Amino acid sequence: MAERKNYITKQGYQCLKDELDFLVKVDRPKVVADVSWAASNGDRSENGDYIYGKKRLRQIDARAKFLFGRIDEAVVIDPSSQEQQDKIFFGAWITLLNESDNSEHHFRIVGQDEIDTEKGFISWVSPIAKALLGKALDDEVKVETPGGLVNFRIIDVSYHE
């Protein structure tokens, strides 16, 4: 299976780097010190601090490995450099009008590592983002949702928050 591009905004890329830096420079050294102290206490078989610390180190190392990979594969996109500001592309802020109940929905199309539904950040590979990509202001879009087909009208497109 072909690997998908790991598109990401500058902000998302910086968040991944910040998390990795914290894990490697702050969290891991602290846990290593805790494990070292716990190991010096003697019997490790029933030493909760030692057992938990080793487990935490494995978690930190696994997350760091994942982050290294995602950062290495990242293709950073600067949405503000988008030439066609009236069309929807990666990084766009979009306001949609649900034509069935007149409710407004605000989204930003971001990378898979940046998804945050509370902020309205949706992945560029999500069904709604796929339906929106390439569309323009006032276009109507039909999106298949778990509740059925929903008609939206694009009422705002911006590349600035």
Side-chain angles (χ1 to χ4, degrees):
M1 185 169 112
E3 192 67 27
R4 281 193 187 148
K5 297 273 188 190
N6 182 24
Y7 295 120
I8 193 166
T9 64
K10 289 190 301 187
Q11 300 89 344
Y13 183 79
Q14 189 59 51
C15 285
L16 292 182
K17 285 182 67 173
D18 290 347
E19 181 182 354
L20 181 60
D21 283 348
F22 175 79
L23 288 174
V24 171
K25 295 178 181 173
V26 178
D27 207 16
R28 192 174 198 290
K30 181 186 179 310
V31 174
V32 166
D34 292 347
V35 168
S36 178
W37 169 83
S40 71
N41 288 336
D43 182 16
R44 297 175 187 171
S45 65
E46 294 183 19
N47 185 331
D49 289 332
Y50 179 81
I51 294 167
Y52 172 75
K54 293 293 282 184
K55 179 179 178 183
R56 181 69 184 126
L57 277 176
R58 287 190 298 274
Q59 292 170 340
I60 290 169
D61 290 344
R63 181 68 180 164
K65 181 180 177 185
F66 172 79
L67 290 171
F68 272 122
R70 295 304 285 173
I71 289 169
D72 189 47
E73 297 168 353
V75 178
V76 180
I77 305 292
D78 180 6
S80 63
S81 66
Q82 179 57 251
E83 291 179 16
Q84 293 179 305
Q85 299 274 317
D86 60 331
K87 288 196 170 189
I88 298 174
F89 296 104
F90 183 87
W93 294 90
I94 306 116
T95 303
L96 302 176
L97 179 68
N98 182 331
E99 295 191 327
S100 63
D101 64 6
N102 286 331
S103 61
E104 286 188 8
H105 303 273
H106 307 280
F107 298 107
R108 183 177 190 200
I109 299 175
V110 296
Q112 293 176 292
D113 296 312
E114 303 173 88
I115 297 169
D116 185 339
T117 54
E118 289 183 14
K119 292 181 179 179
F121 289 9
I122 59 172
S123 169
W124 67 279
V125 295
S126 67
I128 192 163
K130 284 182 177 181
L132 291 169
L133 288 171
K135 301 290 192 247
L137 191 63
D138 291 324
D139 282 357
E140 291 190 10
V141 180
K142 293 180 182 182
V143 179
E144 187 66 43
T145 68
L149 194 63
V150 179
N151 292 324
F152 291 104
R153 188 167 43 87
I154 301 167
I155 59 175
D156 189 36
V157 177
S158 172
Y159 286 89
H160 306 284
E161 190 170 355

